[in-house]
Amino acid sequence: MYNLYKSLIVSILTILLLTACSSKSVEQTDNGKKEINLLFNFATSSLDPNVDTSYVSLRAGITETLVHLNDETLKIEPWLAESWSSKDGQTWTIKLRENITFQNGNPMDGVAVKASLERAMKDSIAIKNALRIESIEADANTLTIKTEVPFPEFPSELVHPNTSIIDITETDFVKKPVGTGPFAVSSFTPGTSVDLIRYDEYWDGAAKLEKARFSFNEDANARSLALESGGADVVFRPEVESLENLEAIEGVTVESTSTFRVHQMTMNLQRKPLQNINVRKAMDALINRESIVDTILRGHAEVATGPFPSSFTFAPDYLEKQTGIEVAREFLRKAGYEEVAGVMKKDGEPLELTLLTYSARADLPLIAQVFQSDAGQLGINVIIQQIEIPEEYMAANRDWDLTTYSNLTAPRGDAGYYLNATYHPNGALNFSGADDDKLTSMIDKLNTTVGQQERSDIAEKIASYVDEQVYNSFILHPNTLVAYNSDKVKNWVTSRSEYYMLTNELDVY
């Protein structure tokens, strides 16, 4: 009875909140200004583009990077940089576009970009490791960048949102970064929303919208309800269960787009049980991928056999694996475990695992619960622990065994980003703690290799090796789900990279 009353109270509060949001939306529309509200699934407490892992500043059109990813061709193209070239893959000449200003009117020139990149490397060890820059020289609108080693794919690293160019003379990076994008920050409420106003002098043509709000809610059901009530105009990753209801609403469009993302089970190799490859194989065998895709994602995903979607040339043809409870039991037997009175033990010690998950991606906690149930059938006690910001928690703590985690694996159409970030000892996303000399050597070879086919061949070998070692388990490639009011919103494009959202072309009818 208590739970029933609690549910009713939550429902009433939700309705009141959404009604208030709806009223505000109508009021804003009535004032004649062109504006929209985009509701995102990750909250952020900082707009600092060089360290924020939610990439809000880029997604909200506040900042831009030197290099842009073309979602159609999966090739990089000029953005703030007009061109780049290198004779040896180590010394790079980057020509910046001319006559671009930051949102405070200051020029975006070589000196400003140099200072911005240096600040990014100083404040983010991940960016420092990714860019591997030894020196930067600025002369008017030309940068000369030397990397620590020959690095043929260096320009593709400049797509990363954390390399966004900002005016570092404006020092309120957390609340009001000043970039070159079509929208400037009007106000920011950490964890709630950022309000934006059009920057009229935007170099690629002033935005069609006069204002925009980029708001946050990590509850997928609340995001869906916000679109239904009119409290939001565009909703990123609405609740899967609500899609049929949303599609039935006149004027609402739901898009399900394949992306470069993978849901994976990250394994902490510093934990003793998972140092045994047969235990890792057992964990992998327990994952019922087809069932998860059909029931939790309702078919809006592709079963993953590795980190990269099968459409990429560097995705290997994996051997078919045996999966299921009995297969997992046999792997555990090889690892020295036996089931005693319904409990999986080794040397008298029960097998207990701490599994991290987070609610910003609503399907991940559900995957964790399914895994917990299946592992329980083998006598394995899986303790689920909810966290808020997975990257921060996994980097700072080693008291966990597994994490249901979601990661972009090829956002630049190249395997180098994911393999470096996830499996190189210096990788920013190497939460598993992988430190394998053979694997590191292969990645280092990839980093100095020129030519797409040659790089694909090496990347394929690395992906196969990672699969053999079961350093992580790959569950599925989820589609990007976006629902929006197509009676109001014009020119919305669902980006496969998930980087580009509020653009100068976005408009309202």
Side-chain angles (χ1 to χ4, degrees), residues 60-116:
I62 302 164
T63 63
E64 297 170 312
T65 52
L66 294 176
V67 179
H68 188 275
L69 178 70
N70 186 307
D71 270 358
E72 297 294 327
T73 65
L74 302 185
K75 296 183 183 299
I76 59 174
E77 59 189 17
W79 207 7
L80 294 181
E82 184 179 83
S83 65
W84 51 86
S85 61
S86 176
K87 293 181 180 179
D88 58 5
Q90 186 169 8
T91 300
W92 294 85
T93 300
I94 297 178
K95 300 281 189 182
L96 304 175
R97 292 186 189 272
E98 297 185 355
N99 302 318
I100 294 180
T101 58
F102 292 103
Q103 290 140 3
N104 57 7
N106 290 343
M108 185 218 70
D109 55 16
V111 171
V113 173
K114 175 179 184 290
S116 180

Side-chain angles (χ1 to χ4, degrees), residues 44 61 197 313 324 351 404:
T44 186
I197 55 173
T313 59
L351 181 55
T404 55

